[in-house]
Amino acid sequence: MYLNLPNRYSIFTYEEKVIIYDIAQRYQQWLESNNKFDENDIVRIALSKAIKEKNNKFDYIICDEIQDLTELQIYFLLKLVNNKNNILFCGDFNQTINPTFFDTGRVEAIYKIYNGMSNFKEHIIKTNYRSSKSIVKFTNKLTSLKIYVLGKSKRNDYLEKSVRDSLGNIRLIKNCISKDELLSILKKRAYVDIIVSDEEEKYNLINNSKENKLVFTVSDYKGLENEYIIGYNIISKFKDKWNEILHKKIDSNNNELRYYFNLLYVLVTRARNNILLIEDDFNEELIKYFKDDIEVVNEFDYKKLGLDRISTKDEHYKKAIRLENNKQYIQAIESYKNADLNENELKQEVG
């Protein structure tokens, strides 16, 4: 079944699937021989118990970020509620950066086929309450480009409107700052976060650095936000793919290309006001497309970039608490350090 999955459910070739399936078999054998369980195993065990048990179920279930769940996990949640009508799932197709191949149509199918529900109701929230008008304008233009290249998904591709009056700024600069200096920005500015595309880029940025290591991948940062977001090599990392997108020389399938759109979308929508894209390699075509939305700067001037404000210790402390509550423990520890707590206070906070 896996080897014959249609292209819309997989970004891999048949030959790659054969290799992946072999790895999956070996992995499963390793789990069984070591008496270990992963998320897939646990949800199957939990599902079998939920089906048997009539009691201990919830009256209502509200679940956000369901685009990051597998369909088996979604089905499990459906089995945890007494009244099948009392379920609210929220998700964003444009934030699908984990390989779940989320689609609202398949979620609806789970509702209807497995639970016999004919009153499935779908609503689209098109209002952006977080980001400035400039950011919302940028994301709408990004969506328009995605529709032009990949075609429109009636259910999932839509334009947003902002309710905030703040204009904010989206700037792009050629990489002209050392890694240590870039990371040092975080020591005095709790309102700033640095986001990279993946773990490889994160390792390249913070490895051997003596400075602050409070850096996130896009995936790490899901569920978080800040006033100012610095994206580091988000576009340069996938320069060839963006060239493919912008010149419409499509060698990859739509699911793979949609990932790069979603990655950029998630990055920019984490910011409330300002975004700075630091890139090793400009993509001139992309800059041209966003010429009315992105300000290209040539000098890393803290004042002109809106990075001249220094945060108080209390701001760093509050940020650390938010990160700890979000289970981002490594970054929380860095933020507690930035709050300049004494040794006893630090042990108490991270204990």
Side-chain angles (χ1 to χ4, degrees):
M1 287 176 65
Y2 173 70
L3 296 180
N4 292 306
L5 279 175
N7 287 338
R8 66 181 183 275
Y9 289 155
S10 178
I11 65 174
F12 304 110
T13 65
Y14 183 87
E15 290 73 21
E16 288 170 332
K17 288 178 187 173
V18 170
I19 296 171
I20 292 167
Y21 190 74
D22 178 61
I23 294 171
Q25 284 185 308
R26 294 171 187 235
Y27 167 68
Q28 191 60 38
Q29 290 169 0
W30 179 85
L31 287 174
E32 292 172 1
S33 61
N34 289 277
N35 195 31
K36 293 186 180 294
F37 303 87
D38 65 8
E39 278 189 345
N40 290 324
D41 299 320
I42 291 169
V43 75
R44 289 188 184 97
I45 295 168
L47 179 58
S48 65
K49 290 184 177 181
I51 292 172
K52 292 176 184 177
E53 292 180 2
K54 302 297 180 183
N55 301 320
N56 299 322
K57 294 192 176 181
F58 297 97
D59 294 322
Y60 295 88
I61 286 183
I62 300 175
C63 181
D64 196 9
E65 306 285 3
I66 66 162
Q67 75 277 352
D68 293 328
L69 300 182
T70 65
E71 291 176 16
L72 188 64
Q73 290 169 328
I74 292 171
Y75 181 53
F76 166 64
L77 291 175
L78 287 168
K79 292 298 181 183
L80 292 182
V81 66
N82 286 316
N83 184 342
K84 297 172 185 177
N85 294 308
N86 295 340
I87 299 171
L88 174 62
F89 284 156
C90 306
D92 189 348
F93 187 72
N94 296 314
Q95 293 190 42
T96 309
I97 56 174
N98 295 325
T100 59
F101 299 99
F102 169 75
D103 186 276
T104 51
R106 297 209 302 279
V107 175
E108 181 178 353
I110 296 173
Y111 264 91
K112 290 181 176 178
I113 297 172
Y114 292 103
N115 290 278
M117 294 178 66
S118 58
N119 62 339
F120 176 86
K121 296 178 182 178
E122 180 182 349
H123 300 280
I124 298 175
I125 300 173
K126 298 181 180 180
T127 305
N128 186 311
Y129 295 92
R130 172 192 291 151
S131 302
S132 65
K133 286 184 178 179
S134 299
I135 293 172
V136 174
K137 182 183 175 186
F138 178 92
T139 58
N140 284 339
K141 201 159 184 178
L142 182 67
T143 297
S144 297
L145 177 62
K146 180 172 62 174
I147 292 171
Y148 172 71
V149 175
L150 304 181
K152 183 174 183 179
S153 169
K154 291 182 180 179
R155 271 183 158 157
N156 301 303
D157 289 328
Y158 52 85
L159 301 183
E160 299 178 0
K161 63 178 181 179
S162 174
V163 297
R164 295 185 57 213
D165 293 330
S166 171
L167 287 176
N169 291 286
I170 304 175
R171 298 184 177 96
L172 185 146
I173 188 170
K174 186 84 170 180
N175 194 358
C176 58
I177 184 172
S178 71
K179 293 179 180 179
D180 281 344
E181 186 179 355
L182 176 60
L183 294 172
S184 71
I185 291 172
L186 303 170
K187 278 189 173 182
K188 298 181 179 181
R189 297 163 182 85
Y191 59 91
V192 178
D193 280 316
I194 297 174
I195 302 179
V196 297
S197 57
D198 53 28
E199 291 293 339
E200 180 183 37
E201 202 67 35
K202 181 177 176 180
Y203 177 81
N204 290 338
L205 180 57
I206 67 176
N207 187 37
N208 297 324
S209 174
K210 298 177 182 178
E211 296 297 337
N212 202 305
K213 298 185 178 181
L214 208 163
V215 175
F216 301 85
T217 65
V218 175
S219 184
D220 288 337
Y221 208 73
K222 294 290 289 290
L224 296 171
E225 62 179 59
N226 212 338
E227 179 184 332
Y228 199 126
I229 295 296
I230 296 177
Y232 183 77
N233 278 340
I234 294 291
I235 299 171
S236 303
K237 172 80 176 182
F238 306 109
K239 180 186 176 184
D240 292 342
K241 292 299 178 181
W242 280 109
N243 285 337
E244 188 177 328
I245 288 167
L246 292 162
H247 293 98
K248 288 201 76 173
K249 296 179 179 179
I250 308 301
D251 297 320
S252 309
N253 71 39
N254 280 11
N255 272 320
E256 181 183 358
L257 295 181
R258 194 176 296 277
Y259 167 80
Y260 305 109
F261 283 104
N262 290 358
L263 199 70
L264 186 55
Y265 175 88
V266 173
L267 170 80
V268 297
T269 55
R270 299 310 93 190
R272 291 197 293 272
N273 291 325
N274 299 302
I275 296 165
L276 176 63
L277 300 174
I278 300 177
E279 300 290 339
D280 284 340
D281 195 349
F282 278 9
N283 186 302
E284 296 296 342
E285 290 293 322
L286 197 62
I287 305 269
K288 186 177 179 181
Y289 178 78
F290 286 110
K291 62 183 174 62
D292 297 328
D293 308 284
I294 295 180
E295 177 189 357
V296 179
V297 294
N298 300 313
E299 179 186 6
F300 206 99
D301 184 302
Y302 282 77
K303 187 172 184 179
K304 290 180 180 179
L305 293 174
L307 291 168
D308 51 325
R309 179 168 67 85
I310 304 301
S311 298
T312 65
K313 292 180 180 180
D314 187 56
E315 287 176 305
H316 283 292
Y317 179 73
K318 288 178 179 177
K319 178 178 181 177
I321 292 174
R322 289 197 303 272
L323 290 170
E324 186 175 359
N325 288 339
N326 203 59
K327 299 182 180 180
Q328 300 285 356
Y329 299 121
I330 293 175
Q331 290 88 347
I333 289 171
E334 292 291 340
S335 286
Y336 280 125
K337 289 178 181 177
N338 292 340
D340 200 23
L341 301 177
N342 63 46
E343 188 174 346
N344 290 332
E345 289 173 323
L346 186 60
K347 286 181 178 178
Q348 180 180 352
E349 292 298 338
V350 301

